[in-house]
Amino acid sequence: MPAALIDGKAFAAKLREQVGAAAAGFAAAAGRRPGLAVVLVGEDAASQVYVGAKHRATIAAGMESFEHRLPAATGEGELLALIAQLNADERVDGILVQLPLPAGLDEQAVIAAISPDKDVDGFHVINAGRLAVGQDGFVPCTPLGCMMLLQDRLGDLAGLEAVVVGRSNIVGKPMAQLLLAANATVTIAHSRTRDLPEVVRRADIVVAAVGRPEMIRGDWIKPGATVIDVGINRLPPAAGADKGRLVGDVEIAGAMTVAGAITPVPGGVGPMTIAVLLRNTLIAAHRNAGLPAPASL
Ligand code: NDP
């Protein structure tokens, strides 16, 4: 039987609807809408697309969107001053600085300047630390979205063997922390891992966050495993086409014949990221206003 496809698009649409309903409830209780500020520095084409999509989704969820588009030549002092202003602005519950920043701007210094209570991307060291020690904080959107899909599919993850391929601060490491907190037995693999196929073969759960098209082959997957493919890779265009096809980090055709379930690319993990960003902003709004956050989110 071919693997079930995990429909991240439908899950994300449902989450966005729930966030929208809760945002309306927040507005009625607090007398203002939850607010998300997005800062984009420079003209990176992919970043422009992401920022536009975040703006539209924020408005659609009944939240206030504050967009700040700054030229690539913006100095670090000016950017830090904007962040200080957003930290102090009571209408702003969440602050997101779109990465990557242009060369010359120190990403770590910029992220460190965001108030941890408004860090809805969960990239601040305080939030990374809270996740590591099991305290409430903000968790990066993509891994939290992966976790929601996994728990929806599998329920309790206790005792399952999970292999996360990739150890970035924004996907691999927080993903591993979340799986550990859910009592999975977690292995983090990376570019120096010996015999990656054998490591992946023992996994009941595989999370691929590498950024290499279809690197994880179908015959590495344990029969019945649940596969979460975070990778978004554009192949070179076929002759006559403008754009190449999008593929994940997992060889989907092969994986489909062995896995129990798998997220497609596109339509799997991708749509979850923005939905979770809205969810994190809604939680931030409740905390900032001293209201209890909705338990169902
Ligand atoms: P990074 O480039 O920061 O990290 C990639 C990781 O993969 C590194 O830890 C690296 O290991 C590891 N790696 C590279 N080559 C190999 C290899 N041959 N074998 C094993 N491990 C390897 O990427 P990100 O974590 O930011 O993103 C990963 C993918 O997820 C990308 O395709 C990105 O586009 C996608 N993505 C999707 C999102 C979404 O919304 N769906 C959001 C964020 C990312 P090492 O540390 O040793 O170098």
Side-chain angles (χ1 to χ4, degrees), residues 50 142-143 165-172 189-193 196 208-212 215 229-233 247-249 268-274:
Y50 295 144
T142 301
V165 191
R167 56 174 164 181
S168 71
N169 289 336
I170 64 173
V171 188
H190 46 75
S191 67
R192 309 291 286 273
T193 295
L196 186 61
V210 182
R212 291 177 180 254
M215 189 196 84
D229 191 350
V230 184
I232 303 178
N233 309 290
V247 297
D249 289 343
V269 173
M272 292 300 292
T273 300
I274 290 185

Side-chain angles (χ1 to χ4, degrees), residues 140-182:
C141 303
T142 301
L144 184 52
C146 294
M147 201 60 191
M148 288 177 180
L149 295 178
L150 278 170
Q151 283 175 324
D152 182 58
R153 171 87 205 163
L154 296 171
D156 186 6
L157 308 186
L160 296 179
E161 287 272 353
V163 172
V164 180
V165 191
R167 56 174 164 181
S168 71
N169 289 336
I170 64 173
V171 188
K173 279 184 203 154
M175 187 73 233
Q177 297 280 9
L178 286 169
L179 287 161
L180 188 60

Side-chain angles (χ1 to χ4, degrees), residues 165 196 200 206-210 212-218 220-221 249-252 255:
V165 191
L196 186 61
V200 172
V206 181
V207 181
V210 182
R212 291 177 180 254
E214 304 204 318
M215 189 196 84
I216 293 172
R217 311 306 295 172
W220 300 7
I221 306 291
D249 289 343
V250 179
E251 183 222 349
I252 184 135

